[in-house]
């Protein structure tokens, strides 16, 4: 509901593209720094309390967005958002990683994506477009009420998790007695291919700070899209998840994760090229359709990530990996804003495609397939990272 308008809202409050990048950069940076500690705490005390803390921060974020009168205030809102999102998603990811069988993991994660980013992702943007239109159009006045609605929905989510999620913990008792740095170091001492994966996963997440915050602004300012087209782009993106997420998840569980990732990567690249070229609203919506393949490839990559460590180290590993993702995204979100203002908007999108092609793809090729990967306890001595 909010996604098509949040960046536009910040710009309408007076931010330039560079300042929009700064807002996202600060939020991602804060979340990245906290992620290793969050993951460590999940291994120590379980997921439920951590999850609830994250949802509470999301609620604070929407409240601050709602009352903001200047783009400077949105820095605090964005920091709360990324911190809350990062904390809650780590709780969710730990449950998902430890409760799904390996042969069903990609399917389960893409099924979640189908419901969350797919079905709800289709309904939310069109509801948002209708609300914005009735509240006054794509302006501060028209967008502001969406934040209060999101606040109410998030409060409902808090109650749901509080009442329904168990407080299970997978870490052994020894984890709770160890030190933070020692526990983090243990993951890398016993893990394999983890260092390469940190780079792969960091580049995988770059669109969240480098592409998506700017795509709606580009569609409105450069291509002249109105509120309904902006909503339709996000709905089209969600429709892709509804139609393709589960079939491709099943394919990843049958043939391997890497094959599906190889399939989705060029489709997302194509979405950027079509967005830049789009001569009409129909092509902008087509770009939205292809953007949806990012939200399929990312969960499949996340399934690989969860298969690189045992359940007892899941929280620490996911927290550390998320730190690398968020910190790199934070840097490039700010750089993207400067590229937009200083060189040209189109180079924001082209820069990501270049990084994905020359950095992530070669490293992914060098990674082993994790569908049937044996973990360290099953490996012969002397294996290298």
């Amino acid at each position: 509901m909010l996604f098509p308008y949040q960046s536009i809202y910040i710009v309408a409050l007076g931010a330039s593209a560079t300042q929009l990048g700064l807002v996202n950069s600060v939020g991602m940076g804060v979340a990245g720094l906290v992620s290793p500690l969050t993951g460590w705490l999940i291994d120590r005390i379980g997921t439920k309390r951590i999850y609830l803390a994250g949802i509470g921060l999301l609620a604070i974020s929407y409240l601050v967005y709602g009352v903001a009168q200047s783009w400077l205030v949105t820095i605090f809102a964005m920091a709360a958002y990324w911190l809350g999102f990062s904390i809650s998603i780590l709780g969710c990811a730990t449950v998902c990683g430890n409760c799904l069988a390996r042969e069903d993991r990609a399917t389960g994660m893409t099924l979640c994506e189908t419901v969350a980013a797919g079905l709800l992702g289709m309904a939310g943007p069109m509801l948002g477009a209708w609300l914005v239109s009735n509240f006054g159009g794509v302006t501060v006045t028209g967008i502001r009420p969406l934040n209060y609605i999101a606040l109410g929905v998030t409060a409902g989510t808090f109650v749901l998790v509080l009442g329904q999620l168990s407080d299970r913990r997978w870490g052994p008792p020894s984890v709770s007695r160890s030190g933070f740095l020692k526990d983090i170091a243990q993951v890398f001492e016993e893990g394999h291919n983890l260092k390469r994966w940190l780079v792969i996963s960091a580049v995988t997440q770059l669109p969240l700070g480098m592409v998506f915050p700017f795509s709606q602004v580009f569609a409105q300012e450069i291509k002249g899209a109105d509120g309904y087209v902006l909503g339709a782009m996000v709905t089209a993106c969600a429709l892709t998840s509804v139609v393709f997420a589960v079939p491709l998840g099943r394919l990843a569980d049958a043939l391997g994760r890497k094959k599906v990732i190889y399939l989705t990567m060029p489709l997302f690249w194509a979405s950027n090229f079509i967005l830049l070229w789009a001569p009409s609203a129909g092509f902008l919506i087509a770009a939205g359709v292809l953007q949806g393949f990012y939200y399929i490839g990312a969960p499949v990559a996340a399934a690989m990530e969860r298969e690189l460590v045992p359940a007892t180290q899941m929280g620490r590993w996911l927290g550390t990996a998320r730190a690398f993702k968020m910190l790199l995204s934070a840097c490039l979100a700010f750089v993207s804003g400067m590229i937009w203002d200083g060189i040209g908007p189109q180079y924001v999108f082209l820069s990501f495609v270049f990084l994905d092609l020359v950095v992530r793809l070669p490293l992914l090729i060098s990674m082993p397939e994790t569908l049937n990967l044996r973990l360290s306890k099953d490996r012969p001595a002397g294996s290298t990272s």
Side-chain angles (χ1 to χ4, degrees), residues 21-97:
L22 175 64
V23 170
N24 280 280
S25 179
V26 170
M28 288 182 162
V30 171
L33 291 172
V34 173
S35 289
L37 178 61
T38 303
W40 181 66
L41 287 173
I42 287 174
D43 284 343
R44 286 177 57 118
I45 65 175
T47 58
K48 186 170 184 176
R49 281 175 283 179
I50 302 299
Y51 208 158
L52 289 171
I55 296 172
L57 284 166
L58 287 174
I60 292 171
S61 169
Y62 295 132
L63 177 61
V64 176
Y65 271 126
V67 301
Q69 300 296 321
S70 165
W71 74 269
L72 287 169
V73 177
T74 67
I75 294 178
F76 299 99
M78 187 67 81
Y81 171 80
W82 278 115
L83 189 57
F85 177 78
S86 183
I87 290 173
S88 59
I89 206 67
L90 279 173
C92 176
T94 303
V95 172
C96 196

Side-chain angles (χ1 to χ4, degrees), residues 22-193:
L22 175 64
V23 170
N24 280 280
S25 179
V26 170
M28 288 182 162
V30 171
L33 291 172
V34 173
S35 289
L37 178 61
T38 303
W40 181 66
L41 287 173
I42 287 174
D43 284 343
R44 286 177 57 118
I45 65 175
T47 58
K48 186 170 184 176
R49 281 175 283 179
I50 302 299
Y51 208 158
L52 289 171
I55 296 172
L57 284 166
L58 287 174
I60 292 171
S61 169
Y62 295 132
L63 177 61
V64 176
Y65 271 126
V67 301
Q69 300 296 321
S70 165
W71 74 269
L72 287 169
V73 177
T74 67
I75 294 178
F76 299 99
M78 187 67 81
Y81 171 80
W82 278 115
L83 189 57
F85 177 78
S86 183
I87 290 173
S88 59
I89 206 67
L90 279 173
C92 176
T94 303
V95 172
C96 196
N98 289 343
C99 291
L100 292 171
R102 182 183 296 268
E103 61 273 15
D104 295 322
R105 184 171 285 118
T107 302
M109 294 177 70
T110 51
L111 177 61
C112 180
E113 191 68 24
T114 298
V115 175
L119 296 175
L120 296 179
M122 288 177 63
M126 298 315 295
L127 174 62
W130 180 78
L131 290 170
V132 166
S133 177
N134 282 274
F135 285 132
V138 189
T139 63
V140 170
T141 302
I143 298 171
R144 190 186 301 277
L146 299 187
N147 292 290
Y148 297 120
I149 296 171
L151 173 61
V153 173
T154 304
T157 304
F158 186 95
V159 173
L160 179 67
V161 172
L162 179 64
Q164 298 299 317
L165 185 66
S166 72
D167 200 19
R168 180 176 176 181
R169 181 172 64 86
W170 287 272
S174 60
V175 171
S176 64
R177 296 196 299 265
S178 302
F180 169 67
L181 295 178
K182 181 179 179 181
D183 283 341
I184 296 295
Q186 180 191 17
V187 176
F188 288 90
E189 289 170 0
E190 299 179 4
H192 301 268
N193 305 297

Side-chain angles (χ1 to χ4, degrees), residues 190-253:
E190 299 179 4
H192 301 268
N193 305 297
L194 301 188
K195 296 171 185 175
R196 269 181 292 171
W197 186 261
L198 288 178
V199 179
I200 294 170
S201 63
V203 178
T204 299
Q205 188 172 284
L206 281 182
L208 296 182
M210 192 176 184
V211 174
F212 292 120
F214 296 94
S215 60
Q216 300 299 108
V217 178
F218 185 90
Q220 186 203 35
E221 292 188 357
I222 309 299
K223 298 297 181 176
D226 61 20
Y228 283 102
V229 172
L230 295 174
M233 289 174 65
V234 181
T235 298
C237 178
L239 179 62
T240 302
S241 290
V242 171
V243 175
F244 293 106
V246 171
L248 289 177
R250 291 303 301 162
L251 191 65
D253 282 332

Side-chain angles (χ1 to χ4, degrees), residues 193 195-208 210-212 257-272 290-305 325 328-329 332 349-368:
N193 305 297
K195 296 171 185 175
R196 269 181 292 171
W197 186 261
L198 288 178
V199 179
I200 294 170
S201 63
V203 178
T204 299
Q205 188 172 284
L206 281 182
L208 296 182
M210 192 176 184
V211 174
F212 292 120
R257 286 72 167 101
K258 291 172 64 175
K259 291 182 177 65
V260 173
I261 298 173
Y262 293 148
L263 174 64
T264 59
M265 287 174 71
L267 294 173
F268 183 63
W269 299 341
S271 74
N272 289 273
L290 292 175
Q291 274 190 345
F293 284 99
Y294 172 81
Y295 292 104
I296 298 173
V300 175
M304 288 188 68
E305 185 169 86
K325 298 175 193 177
L328 181 61
S329 293
L332 289 185
F349 307 96
L350 295 176
S351 296
F352 167 73
V353 174
F354 175 78
L355 287 172
D356 213 28
L357 184 62
V358 303
V359 177
R360 182 164 71 125
L361 182 58
L363 286 175
L364 184 62
I365 291 171
S366 71
M367 285 287 295

